[in-house]
Amino acid sequence: MTIGISGTGAASDPLRSRPSAKASSAASFETILESFKKAAAQTPEERVREAVLKKHDLNEADYDRLAPEKRKAIDQEVAAAVKKLHERKTGVPATEHSFATDKLFG
């Protein structure tokens, strides 16, 4: 009795035809590392602004195309979030002019 095995090459082996787990893991690590570096380079206020834009499904280009009144509403939301962040970090209530937010709005 003879038993034949067909399809034993790399093309038929699903584990050999996929990228290695190490390669996928390295790519994921690089993506995470780049994201971390970007966040680490930002000020807390910039991260808050980015979070508010993300909440509204906006990026910088989308924000720039908004009507002035919608941009103003986003800016006010960012300013309120920055004020809240300041108060949470320092424990001191922020006054209207205790810190500058004009740099956040370009």
Side-chain angles (χ1 to χ4, degrees):
M1 175 173 178
T2 308
I3 300 175
I5 300 175
S6 62
T8 58
S12 65
D13 185 350
L15 296 177
R16 290 187 189 179
S17 61
R18 282 187 272 149
S20 71
K22 260 187 183 176
S24 295
S25 166
S28 294
F29 176 76
E30 288 300 319
T31 302
I32 292 168
L33 183 60
E34 286 305 313
S35 179
F36 173 76
K37 285 179 181 178
K38 179 184 173 200
Q42 293 177 315
T43 65
E45 293 80 7
E46 290 169 330
R47 287 192 295 272
V48 166
R49 184 172 192 278
E50 188 174 282
V52 170
L53 291 178
K54 186 176 181 179
K55 173 183 160 190
H56 291 282
D57 293 323
L58 298 170
N59 59 33
E60 286 297 328
D62 296 333
Y63 170 81
D64 291 340
R65 288 191 295 269
L66 287 175
E69 62 275 358
K70 290 191 185 241
R71 244 193 337 250
K72 184 176 180 181
I74 296 287
D75 292 347
Q76 289 173 341
E77 186 175 344
V78 170
V82 168
K83 180 178 177 183
K84 191 177 203 178
L85 173 70
H86 172 76
E87 289 173 347
R88 189 174 61 231
K89 282 184 143 189
T90 64
V92 177
T95 62
E96 192 68 29
H97 302 288
S98 63
F99 55 97
T101 57
D102 57 328
K103 292 180 182 177
L104 295 173
F105 310 123

